[in-house]
Structure formats: structure tokens, C-alpha cells
Amino acid sequence: MFRKMLPFTICQPPSIQLNTGIQCCFTDGYLLLNSCVSPHNSLCLQTLDTKDLKILKVSANGQTAKFALGAKHSYKGSPLEITLPLELSRGQHVIVEIEYETSPRASALQWLSPAQTAGKKQPYLFSQCQATHCRTLVPCQDTPSVKHTYYAQVSVPKELVALMSAVQDGQEPDPNDTSRVIYRFRQPVPMPSYLIALVVGALESRVIGPRSKVWSEKEYVDKAAFEFSETEMMLKTAESLAGPYVWGQYDLLILPPSFPYGGMENPCLTFVTPTLLAGDRSLSNVIAHEISHSWTGNLVTNKTWEHFWLNEGHTVYLERMIGRALESEQFRQFKAMGGWKELHESIERFGANNVLTNLVPSLQDVNPDDSFSSVPYEKGFALLYYLEELMGGPEVFMGFVKSYIQLFAYSSVTTQEWKDHLFTYFKDKVDLLNKVDWNAWMHTPGMPPVKPEYDTTLADACIALAQRWLKAKDADLVGFSEADIKQFSSHQLIEFLALLLVEDPLPLSHVKRMQEVHHFNSIANSEIRCRWLRLCVRAQWEEAVPLALKMAVDQGRMKFTRPLFRDVYNVAKFRDASVKAFKEHSATMHPVTATMVAKDLNVEHSTGL
């Protein structure tokens, strides 16, 4: 057995100072490594993933250990090979201590200057380790097939607060520096490396439930507490569907705008985009999604990134079952329709013959970041919904999902293991399961082989209005009025705009009239605003381009930033403006976001990824 104690310093870029940096001691729990084969009683060789780490010293049970870094791979980094200075017997515990420093260019970390924060006085640091960036923060087995517990203590300037994806375990003055404080953390539930998370900033919290706080800079904390006040109700609903919540605390952290995702399901501390703080509480489906990951993703995890759909497809399914319980079955169907359109857009962008649109793609020599799309989410959900209908409805199929969670809790699984359990659970319906075209669903690119028939009740008004706009001649535009969308919910506004986006661009006269009657430019809801601005850019409305680029750089959520940049870039006369805006702002973007946008715009860019 192998236990790592990792005292290290996180080195920040020279332009951002947290006094002398953040010092951490990260200790993960007992972690079984690959079996040692010692044919001649030779000493054991252990290998860990690293990238851009400066290894200073390694010891095992107090004895100096030899180590070497292997050849560097473009995105995998360098293997750290440690020769243990002692012979091992089966079951023996070894404490390996690795002293090291991270690189200022570590792709798991984003450093923000005070000017980039809401408070403008203190710097800010946050991590994002999914999929394979933890190795830039910690020497580890950076694969979801390995799970571990961990304990940590983090020393930071006393003006700042440190949080991790773990239960808080106290704090105390740093005995080595009176200007600093040490925060302690423990994570007793085994989890994969990509869920290790760290944030340091001028943070405050508010209690929003018996096991939940919301954290953010003080400028946003009260608004965040209001927006996410229904968190406990969602947790209880999820528990009624999937079983007990095992992680103890469920806190939310509202991150600065550059955070690249809608949310990240770090255990005990979900990271959330500030784009949700738009006065629209209906966007709580993001929180429902991240809560659902507490079971599907965190508790039961895909064994490799090829099986990512097991995480995301089941999480979307559970998220929509929460929506069904809190809203209605029609609401679940409505959200599923929107997801189908997102899937169609992703597959069109990748290309219908691109193997990355397989539900289970081969990622040999592919950086997992490059495969990120809505495919594992929505193609995965579509398969589960198809099986739900085949097996007897939502209550029946939710029974399978719950049994899947119970069987594979605390472990990592493959698609074949999931499928084997499906056939075992529905042993009396094997004939039906054998009729499923599994190869078409799992290993064939493009859209799913079966299109679900969703209930369109909530979408009918959206479809009708979208068709009016698509068929309207210039002379018909006077017939549109503010009353057309007066009864629409925000979800229906999103659906209406999404329907228009999958069609050929509207004439410029139409989007100008739409702005006159619906005033979309004044809507703060990010989901609506992004779709509206994309519609305007595609219609080649020049006045909308600065607004689209401003939204693309003011926040860094890739769901919005990438399509906004792409749409501006795809109009020839706006192309230079998109590239210019990216080059001016890329240094303040998250490394993952900057890398992906650079690829979208065919721009040379180096972030160290």
C-alpha cells in the first residue's frame, strides 16, 4: 500500500503576488498502485503522472528515494518514476513524501489579479482539474479509474480564505508566519484525482440550508444566497431518487467570470459560474445537474474518459428527473427537446462522421479536452430515455438507475459493466434489450439511431412563433408585437431562440424588428442573451458584433464564449474583429478556454496545455 505526503509550494505568475505563495501539504489516503514485479528481489519502481512540476526531493518511510522524470508528452506531461529504497511485501504500508513546486503555467490553476476580481483588492486562485490537469497540481495517478481519500492543509495570507473539495477540518495561525493562516481539510470518501479542487480568495459565506453554504466574494454573496436558496429541496429530491447523499457538506462556490464551465461537481464544494446570477431562478437546472453528480460521476465514476457518457448521460437523466419531481413531466420533456437540439448542433460542428461523436469514442492519442461537447450528455440521455420507454417508463427505469448507483458506488465502471448490469436487472426483458442496436448507439458517429417522440406541449407556442418569424416577409413584420412572448417563461424564450438558430440566418430586417418589439438587448439572462446575440451576428447586424464580443470576453463560460467567437469569426467581414478581441483578452482567460477558442479561430496560442 502506498501513501503520499506532498508538501509543495504553488508558484504564481510574477504579476500576481500572494505574499510568498500558497504552501500546501496534500496527503491522500491509502492508495493501491500497480503491482510491483520484482523478479530478483530488486527495489520497487512506482510511476506517477506529472506535468510541469519541479520535483525537489522524494523519500520513502524517511529514506531518500531515487526519482526521475520521463520524456515529456505534449498534453500528458512527464511520468515521475520513483525507485523505493526498500523491499516491499504484500500489504505493507509505505509513506512516500514528495517535495515539489508547481509551475506558474500550471493548466489546473488560474490566477487572477485584484483588478480581475469583484473586490479589486485581493488576488484570487482557483483550480479546474478535469479531465487530466490534476497532474499539474499534484503528482498522482491522474485517471478516473483510481480513487483515493485525502487530507490537506493550506497556508495562505490571513486576509484570504482557502477552500477545497473536502470537509473543512479547522484552521489555525501559521506557526511559521504570523501573517498567514492554515486551513485544514479532509475528504474521507474515495474520489478520483480530477475532483481535487482548491480556491483561495477574499471569500465570504452565507448559510442556505442545514448542510449547505454559498461562498463568493462579498459583492455577490447575498445575491447568491437568494438565487440558490432552494438547494436543500433539490438535495432531498435527489436523495429520494438516488439514495443517501454520502459527502456530508454540500456547499456552492460562485467563481469569478473566467470560470470555463457552468458548474463543476467538486465534492462538498460545487463550483458555479456567476452567469447564473442574472435574476432568473429558473436556471436552477444547473444546480440540479451538479447535485446529481454527487451520485453519477462522483460516487460512480467512468473508468476512463472514453466512458464519459456514464458520468454525464446519467447525470442529465437524474437532473431531469429532479425537474420532473419539482415541476412536471411536461417540463422534463421540454428540457429533453432542448437537449436534442444541442446534440444536433454539436454533431454538425464536429461532422456527422467524426468518431468523437460516438457515445463511446476512442481517445487514443486524443486530448480529452478536445473531445468535450454535448454528445456524452445528450446522446447519453437519449439512450437512457429510449431504454426508459422500452423498459416500462420513468419509475421502472429509475429503479435501474438507483440499483446501478448502489452496485457500483465508490468504484469506477466501463460501459460493458453498465450494460451487463442492465441485462441482469431487466432479466425478464432480455428479448427487448437484444433488439436494441447497441453498435449504432455506442460505436457509430452522428445522431442516435432512434429519435425520441417528446411531449411538445410546452414547446408548441415556441415552435409556432419561430415558424412565423421564419416565414415572414418584410411586409409581415408589423404584425409582430410584445404580446407574442408575454406569457413565455425564460425556458420558452431560450427554446424559441434555439429553434431559430438551427435554421438559416434570419434577414437583418427581421432581427432588427425583433429587437424593437422584444427588447432582447436589455435581457441579462446569459442563456437568452447568448442565443440572441448569435442570431444577430448570423444576420450580419454590425451593431451586434461589439455586444457579442463583449459577452464573449466579459465571462469565460465556454458554453457561451466559444459559440460567440465562432459565429463572429464565421462572418468574413467580422473575422478580424473576433481575432483582435481574442488576442487582446486571451491572457485573462482560463487556460482551457483560451486554448479551445484559439483552435476555433485558427490562431496560434500557447498556454502550456
Side-chain angles (χ1 to χ4, degrees):
M1 303 291 281
F2 186 81
R3 188 175 185 178
K4 300 197 300 295
M5 295 183 66
L6 308 171
F8 64 97
T9 299
I10 299 178
C11 297
Q12 67 270 17
S15 59
I16 301 173
Q17 294 298 321
L18 292 180
N19 293 349
T20 57
I22 299 173
Q23 283 92 43
C24 304
C25 180
F26 178 93
T27 309
D28 63 2
Y30 289 111
L31 173 60
L32 182 62
L33 294 186
N34 296 326
S35 300
C36 282
V37 180
S38 306
H40 301 293
N41 238 358
S42 61
L43 302 184
C44 245
L45 187 70
Q46 303 291 346
T47 303
L48 300 173
D49 295 309
T50 77
K51 186 179 179 188
D52 298 329
L53 298 180
K54 182 179 180 181
I55 309 299
L56 304 175
K57 183 170 64 174
V58 179
S59 61
N61 286 357
Q63 300 180 47
T64 299
K66 293 181 180 179
F67 67 90
L69 288 170
K72 184 174 181 179
H73 184 276
S74 60
Y75 62 85
K76 295 178 182 177
S78 307
L80 171 62
E81 297 181 342
I82 301 171
T83 304
L84 300 183
L86 64 161
E87 295 178 3
L88 293 182
S89 57
R90 184 175 296 277
Q92 180 180 350
H93 291 176
V94 179
I95 296 178
V96 175
E97 187 170 351
I98 305 171
E99 187 175 334
Y100 68 96
E101 294 177 356
T102 65
S103 165
R105 298 169 65 244
S107 59
L109 303 172
Q110 185 171 19
W111 297 86
L112 303 179
S113 67
Q116 292 173 277
T117 68
K120 309 298 183 187
K121 294 180 180 179
Q122 298 291 345
Y124 198 108
L125 166 70
F126 69 89
S127 67
Q128 174 61 31
C129 288
Q130 195 180 36
T132 58
H133 299 286
C134 190
R135 65 192 68 191
T136 71
L137 178 63
V138 178
C140 61
Q141 291 174 297
D142 201 7
T143 165
S145 65
V146 173
K147 292 191 171 185
H148 52 80
T149 60
Y150 77 84
Y151 304 86
Q153 57 183 35
V154 183
S155 173
V156 298
K158 61 184 180 182
E159 298 84 8
L160 303 178
V161 172
L163 299 172
M164 293 193 75
S165 54
V167 177
Q168 292 174 287
D169 202 25
Q171 64 186 75
E172 61 189 17
D174 189 330
N176 299 316
D177 187 339
T178 57
S179 69
R180 304 176 71 87
V181 61
I182 292 175
Y183 290 88
R184 293 192 302 272
F185 305 92
R186 58 181 172 85
Q187 181 49 269
V189 182
M191 53 170 246
S193 58
Y194 75 86
L195 293 176
I196 292 172
L198 169 69
V199 62
V200 180
L203 300 171
E204 292 188 6
S205 68
R206 299 288 185 271
V207 174
I208 56 172
R211 48 185 161 177
S212 298
K213 296 178 181 177
V214 64
W215 294 84
S216 78
E217 295 182 80
K218 68 179 181 180
E219 289 78 8
Y220 298 132
V221 70
D222 290 321
K223 185 173 186 180
F226 172 76
E227 293 288 348
F228 303 120
S229 61
E230 297 176 351
T231 297
E232 179 63 20
M233 181 172 61
M234 289 190 192
L235 275 169
K236 287 181 176 178
T237 303
E239 286 183 306
S240 72
L241 293 166
Y245 178 79
V246 304
W247 303 92
Q249 191 76 7
Y250 183 82
D251 286 359
L252 292 157
L253 169 71
I254 312 305
L255 280 156
S258 59
F259 182 58
Y261 302 104
M264 181 63 206
E265 63 273 15
N266 302 310
C268 306
L269 186 69
T270 286
F271 283 13
V272 179
T273 172
T275 62
L276 299 185
L277 301 180
D280 179 13
R281 302 176 73 188
S282 65
L283 290 177
S284 58
N285 61 289
V286 173
I287 305 305
H289 183 90
E290 303 310 328
I291 284 175
S292 298
H293 266 307
S294 303
W295 289 267
T296 49
N298 297 5
L299 192 58
V300 182
T301 308
N302 48 238
K303 186 164 285 187
T304 69
W305 294 113
E306 284 89 351
H307 304 282
F308 188 42
W309 84 272
L310 291 173
N311 277 21
E312 297 300 348
H314 286 85
T315 296
V316 172
Y317 185 86
L318 185 52
E319 164 207 332
R320 288 176 182 158
M321 287 297 287
I322 293 173
R324 178 178 187 260
L326 297 179
E327 300 283 346
S328 67
E329 172 63 17
Q330 287 182 344
F331 178 78
R332 182 175 82 118
Q333 300 272 326
F334 179 76
K335 297 302 292 182
M337 287 180 62
W340 184 266
K341 277 190 286 297
E342 288 184 18
L343 174 61
H344 187 270
E345 185 175 353
S346 282
I347 288 175
E348 276 203 332
R349 180 167 53 84
F350 273 100
N353 295 318
N354 191 321
V355 293
L356 292 181
T357 66
N358 290 7
L359 192 58
V360 185
S362 171
L363 295 183
Q364 183 71 32
D365 299 322
V366 175
N367 185 336
D369 287 341
D370 292 339
S371 68
F372 182 84
S373 74
S374 66
V375 171
Y377 297 74
E378 297 298 346
K379 200 171 188 178
F381 171 83
L383 171 60
L384 296 176
Y385 182 82
Y386 168 68
L387 292 172
E388 171 197 298
E389 290 197 310
L390 200 63
M391 294 296 99
E395 285 78 12
V396 172
F397 197 72
M398 192 63 222
F400 161 72
V401 173
K402 187 172 183 178
S403 75
Y404 161 74
I405 293 167
Q406 291 171 337
L407 180 63
F408 294 109
Y410 309 104
S411 63
S412 301
V413 297
T414 64
T415 298
Q416 187 59 53
E417 290 171 308
W418 167 86
K419 185 180 173 185
D420 289 344
H421 180 57
L422 178 73
F423 274 70
T424 299
Y425 185 86
F426 290 113
K427 57 182 180 293
D428 57 337
K429 299 178 180 177
V430 168
D431 288 346
L432 285 173
L433 290 173
N434 280 330
K435 292 178 181 177
V436 175
D437 190 343
W438 294 103
N439 184 65
W441 276 102
M442 300 287 185
H443 306 294
T444 304
M447 292 296 286
V450 179
K451 182 176 181 179
E453 294 293 330
Y454 294 123
D455 182 333
T456 64
T457 301
L458 294 178
D460 286 341
C462 313
I463 295 168
L465 183 60
Q467 285 300 310
R468 280 184 61 202
W469 279 99
L470 290 167
K471 295 175 180 178
K473 307 297 184 186
D474 283 355
D476 303 322
L477 296 181
V478 69
F480 292 99
S481 71
E482 188 175 358
D484 293 339
I485 63 170
K486 190 171 184 180
Q487 302 302 318
F488 277 21
S489 67
S490 59
H491 295 290
Q492 289 174 306
L493 284 176
I494 292 166
E495 175 68 8
F496 162 65
L497 294 171
L499 286 165
L500 295 175
L501 279 172
V502 298
E503 302 291 342
D504 291 336
L506 286 172
L508 179 57
S509 58
H510 287 47
V511 293
K512 286 186 174 182
R513 176 59 180 165
M514 202 177 289
Q515 168 59 20
E516 286 177 8
V517 295
H518 299 321
H519 313 291
F520 282 135
N521 279 346
S522 62
I523 293 180
N525 180 310
S526 299
E527 297 278 356
I528 295 171
R529 187 169 183 80
C530 176
R531 287 167 175 81
W532 163 243
L533 291 174
R534 291 181 64 196
L535 207 63
C536 293
V537 169
R538 290 183 178 194
Q540 301 191 27
W541 192 0
E542 198 159 348
E543 292 176 18
V545 172
L547 298 177
L549 292 175
K550 181 175 176 11
M551 182 176 184
V553 300
D554 281 355
Q555 54 75 50
R557 188 177 175 186
M558 288 195 291
K559 180 179 183 180
F560 304 140
T561 292
R562 291 186 67 188
L564 285 166
F565 265 117
R566 279 197 302 261
D567 282 350
V568 175
Y569 180 84
N570 286 338
V571 178
K573 64 181 179 179
F574 302 152
R575 184 163 297 166
D576 289 346
S578 68
V579 173
K580 181 173 182 288
F582 171 70
K583 289 182 175 180
E584 288 176 350
H585 294 90
S586 61
T588 62
M589 290 180 174
H590 188 277
V592 172
T593 307
T595 297
M596 301 312 294
V597 173
K599 290 179 179 179
D600 292 337
L601 305 186
N602 298 308
V603 174
E604 288 291 328
H605 182 70
S606 176
T607 63
L609 293 191

